[in-house]
Amino acid sequence: METAATAPSAQKPPRVDGRRLRSERTKQLIIEAFLALLREDPVMPTAVQIAERAGYSVRSIFERFPDLIALRVAATDYALAQALAQALALAPARQVDGDRQTRVKSQVETRAFTCERGIALWRVLLGTEDESGELAIRIKRARETAVTRMELMYKPELATLAPEERQQTLIALEAITDI
């Protein structure tokens, strides 16, 4: 017979491994150091520079990332997640039902905000996207997100175009507003 003390719901929650938490925190600090270095200088930082900024050894970097490309992928994921969270919180699609001038102003302000936040990482990604299929996928997703937002903001104007012309217009808009 099962008692309250032996019932599955009365079991203790699994213990949190402190080493794993420290390792994840180290990984996070390495990513943040990498991004901070990019904001200061858009040249790809070395492992030594990243380690110094993070306050860890170069070995710590390569214990968590097999190479610097993997670090770039992780930093890109982190930056994109942050950008998405900020876009939802700070730069939502506003004035979607406003007149054209209001929508254009809103879109320009929002795009400027997101570009200013991500310019350093974006430059490095574009310069190294051939090195990693993972980076190329992330760049494509970021561009698709920008296009989706433009489709929302310019829906009335785009609705008047034929499908092929609409697609060409979206490509042009993305290109001229790209970081």
Side-chain angles (χ1 to χ4, degrees), residues 76 79-81 83 111 114 118 121-122 125-126 134-150 174 177-179:
T76 301
L80 290 175
R111 189 71 177 139
T114 56
L121 178 61
W122 192 251
L125 291 177
L126 291 179
E134 290 294 315
L135 290 176
I137 289 168
R138 282 148 178 87
I139 290 169
K140 183 179 178 186
R141 282 188 198 145
R143 286 189 165 133
E144 288 169 352
T145 300
V147 168
T148 299
R149 184 184 176 91
M150 285 186 282
E174 195 279 328
T177 62
D178 190 26
I179 292 177

Side-chain angles (χ1 to χ4, degrees), residues 3-103:
T3 66
T6 61
S9 63
Q11 294 178 356
K12 292 182 183 179
R15 288 180 37 168
V16 177
D17 183 357
R19 290 173 294 173
R20 170 168 259 152
L21 287 175
R22 282 189 302 279
S23 181
E24 286 301 312
R25 179 69 182 143
T26 299
K27 186 176 184 178
Q28 184 66 33
L29 290 172
I30 291 168
I31 290 170
E32 289 172 5
F34 171 74
L35 292 171
L37 287 166
L38 286 179
R39 283 187 210 100
E40 292 170 13
D41 185 359
V43 176
M44 179 64 189
T46 65
V48 171
Q49 291 169 317
I50 298 165
E52 286 175 1
R53 174 59 66 92
Y56 294 100
S57 67
V58 171
R59 179 179 174 191
S60 291
I61 292 173
F62 293 109
E63 286 175 343
R64 284 151 188 89
F65 303 98
D67 53 36
L68 291 180
I69 293 172
L71 172 57
R72 275 183 254 156
V73 170
T76 301
D77 288 344
Y78 174 76
L80 290 175
Q82 271 194 323
L84 179 59
Q86 287 174 346
L88 293 174
L90 302 174
R94 296 170 300 197
Q95 309 295 335
V96 175
D97 297 322
D99 61 29
R100 181 182 308 161
Q101 183 177 357
T102 302
R103 287 181 288 116

